[in-house]
Amino acid sequence: MRKNLRLSAAAIAVTSVAGCLVLPAAAAAPAAAQGGTVYVLQGLTGVDAAVRVDGRTVAAKAAGKAVIGPLQLAAGKHEVAVDAPGTADDTKASFTVTSGRSLDVVVHRRNDAKRSPTVTTSVNNLAPVASGTGRVTVAHDAVVGPADVRVDGKTLFANIGNGEELTLGVPAATYSVQIVPVGKTGPTVLGPVDLPVAAGKLTRVFAVGDVADGTMDAIVQVLPLTGAAAAPPVKVDSGTGGQAQALIRQSQQTSTGESSAAATLLAVGVLGGGLLASRRKLRHTRSS
Amino acid sequence: MRGAVAALVVGLLLTACGSSRMTGAASAPGASAATGPVRTLTPAAPQAPETGTTSAEASPSPSAPPAVAARPGPTQRFTFVPTTVRLDRGRVSARVQPITPGAGGVLLPPDDSRVVGWWSGGARVGAAYGSVVLAGHVDSATSGIGVFAQLLTAQRGDRVRLGGVAGRQDFRITEVDDVNKLTLTAGADPFNQAVALRLVLITCTGTFDPVTGHYDQNRVVVAVPDGPATRG
């Protein structure tokens, strides 16, 4: 990194806050400047906003919940500015793009609606997932205290505060989702709503808006993962020498019938447990 | 019991219609049940930027503070790739390496029968859902009787510990079964990811055919978490 020699007082202040150096506009681009992908999320529900990136208008009038992009931006620092009615100033922030990465830039209200909006960035994790599953990230960008996210009646994402997020891999399915205040069984913040989760995709849910003025809502963004999920094996060959044959015979002779009991348990679908026991029973029933 | 049967029937109908709705254990939604039809959250269609994409990096103005990166919530689940497995019965341990199926979808453990393979297309240790699948040779023409021969004497209740670079999770064996190799995935599929997290340990058993160099059965051992994955 090259130091910007034209330091002004304001630039020094920004540098101290950011903890990194401000690059001059004319800096030579790094060799691998393929850039990164950016989406700007307009999380100020209930208002239309003008959105600018690096001084250029990318959306003259973006409705609340709009997802603007994909933008291809060079690696390095950029600026987003959002001009919404009801806010005295533009909401502005700088963010850093890394080559080859996908980044969400979310403009949203804080927990306290009286304070000005803020901008939160989040890298999209596009690494492959286990076959038949999707990656779900739930982010709290709403005017409400810490919340639990209940999925099919069970808390799967607990205690998320404004500006925080949680990630979980789940089997592909459509889930009933509810957002409730932490630890309370009181009025729900959002939902129940149905959320489809596709296999091999990143499904991002951003809770946005304000319960108090009825603008509480969720933005859903689905991105494909880089690299396909692996196809499951169909066979396992795990013995090539035959030396264990005697051991095997011995263990079969001393068995108290536990193996056959286990086989029976397998057949009636007692395997697996919890939330998905009935689903596994269905699979076995259909194939037998 | 009747409720469970009703859920099963509903699940069957939905499955037949091609829906993938989960019909897990129902729990009362509380006082805030929706009064109308349930809304489906649909993905936003991204809108293309109106003035083309900016390509060069820019100098953000001094009045633009840096955006804050989203913080992982305090309950973010810790997951890791297994690098060691320890079977309490027999007090045996082995290194674990990632493996993927080869031609024909056949999963082969590492040649060295002292080393066990982890199917990298399955779940990571500590996940909420999925099967963490480990496969090891019961024996090898080149390296003798394997660590996973110990599975031949596995019993329900035995503890298995998986270790990672900076984490571990314990499991308790709940099932021990021998299945015909050719029907390994026909019934209860050991590679199924649509289950609460479990550990599946696979080796060979049955009768060895010296002509083909293969056994005819798989020993499949299933274990469930005995606590969450922990760091350290």
Side-chain angles (χ1 to χ4, degrees):
Chain A
M1 277 204 204
R2 288 169 27 203
K3 233 181 173 167
N4 183 347
L5 298 175
R6 299 180 291 108
L7 292 176
S8 64
I12 293 171
V14 171
T15 302
S16 316
V17 167
C20 64
L21 301 171
V22 177
L23 298 173
Q34 60 170 345
T37 304
V38 172
Y39 296 87
V40 179
L41 280 70
Q42 204 290 64
L44 305 174
T45 50
V47 300
D48 293 338
V51 180
R52 296 190 304 281
V53 173
D54 297 335
R56 295 193 204 172
T57 299
V58 294
K61 199 171 156 189
K65 290 178 60 179
V67 175
I68 303 157
L71 304 170
Q72 303 303 331
L73 300 178
K77 272 199 165 186
H78 298 268
E79 176 184 306
V80 64
V82 175
D83 183 8
T87 59
D89 304 306
D90 286 2
T91 299
K92 276 192 205 174
S94 65
F95 60 92
T96 303
V97 171
T98 306
S99 270
R101 291 264 199 99
S102 174
L103 185 74
D104 278 359
V105 176
V106 187
V107 182
H108 64 94
R109 295 189 179 90
R110 303 173 200 256
N111 186 8
D112 178 357
K114 291 192 283 295
R115 297 178 61 197
S116 57
T118 188
V119 180
T120 299
T121 57
S122 179
V123 174
N124 292 311
N125 181 355
L126 303 180
V129 289
S131 63
T133 69
R135 176 175 292 121
V136 178
T137 298
V138 177
H140 181 333
D141 295 310
V143 185
V144 71
D148 288 341
V149 180
R150 298 171 69 81
V151 176
D152 284 357
K154 188 170 128 177
T155 298
L156 284 191
F157 302 85
N159 192 15
I160 320 178
N162 187 290
E164 293 177 350
E165 62 183 26
L166 289 176
T167 299
L168 190 70
V170 298
T174 294
Y175 294 89
S176 174
V177 175
Q178 243 184 326
I179 302 180
V180 299
V182 167
K184 297 191 178 130
T185 52
T188 193
V189 165
L190 183 76
V193 289
D194 279 354
L195 174 72
V197 176
K201 301 263 164 80
L202 168 64
T203 298
R204 302 207 57 157
V205 181
F206 300 85
V208 289
D210 193 345
V211 183
D213 64 14
T215 59
M216 184 71 195
D217 207 335
I219 306 174
V220 176
Q221 180 191 26
V222 177
L223 297 172
L225 302 177
T226 55
V234 299
K235 198 156 162 270
V236 179
D237 281 337
S238 40
T240 64
Q243 303 97 321
Q245 184 72 89
L247 271 176
I248 292 168
R249 293 280 173 250
Q250 193 179 35
S251 69
Q252 286 168 340
Q253 279 154 19
T254 58
S255 158
T256 56
E258 192 173 276
S259 282
S260 52
T264 307
L265 290 170
L266 206 80
V268 301
V270 171
L271 292 191
L275 197 63
L276 301 160
S278 59
R279 180 180 166 92
R280 294 204 61 226
K281 279 183 185 167
L282 294 175
R283 286 172 67 95
H284 183 74
T285 304
R286 276 194 297 142
S287 63
S288 60
Chain B
M1 194 57 186
R2 181 171 296 189
V5 170
L8 200 64
V9 169
V10 171
L12 268 170
L13 290 172
L14 288 175
T15 307
C17 297
S19 161
S20 56
R21 183 173 183 97
M22 306 300 299
T23 55
S27 67
S32 51
T35 50
V38 176
R39 177 163 70 104
T40 296
L41 289 178
T42 48
Q47 56 185 71
E50 286 163 16
T51 53
T53 57
T54 58
S55 51
E57 65 181 304
S59 271
S61 51
S63 60
V68 180
R71 301 177 306 280
T75 63
Q76 176 61 53
R77 187 175 282 262
F78 167 59
T79 66
F80 63 89
V81 169
T83 56
T84 59
V85 58
R86 178 185 156 80
L87 307 176
D88 269 14
R89 184 171 298 276
R91 291 196 230 274
V92 294
S93 296
R95 278 190 299 118
V96 179
Q97 288 173 0
I99 56 174
T100 54
V106 179
L107 192 65
L108 288 176
D111 282 341
D112 184 348
S113 60
R114 297 167 302 175
V115 179
V116 168
W118 165 70
W119 173 45
S120 57
R124 288 162 61 108
V125 188
Y129 295 101
S131 298
V132 179
V133 181
L134 266 53
H137 281 306
V138 70
D139 56 39
S140 153
T142 52
S143 53
I145 300 222
V147 167
F148 263 19
Q150 198 60 47
L151 295 181
L152 299 173
T153 57
Q155 291 181 21
R156 277 190 286 249
D158 287 358
R159 187 177 77 161
V160 180
R161 170 170 287 186
L162 293 184
V165 168
R168 66 166 183 240
Q169 186 172 26
D170 287 340
F171 296 79
R172 291 273 171 198
I173 292 177
T174 54
E175 302 143 24
V176 178
D177 191 45
D178 295 338
V179 295
N180 184 303
K181 235 199 229 182
L182 297 176
T183 58
L184 177 64
T185 59
D189 184 352
F191 305 104
N192 183 16
Q193 298 303 316
V195 292
L197 189 79
R198 62 181 184 174
L199 171 62
V200 181
L201 309 169
I202 304 178
T203 190
C204 275
T205 187
T207 302
F208 182 75
D209 182 344
V211 173
T212 63
H214 290 306
Y215 283 91
D216 64 346
Q217 293 190 341
N218 287 119
R219 165 142 292 194
V220 180
V221 174
V222 180
V224 297
D226 190 11
T230 54
R231 291 180 196 274

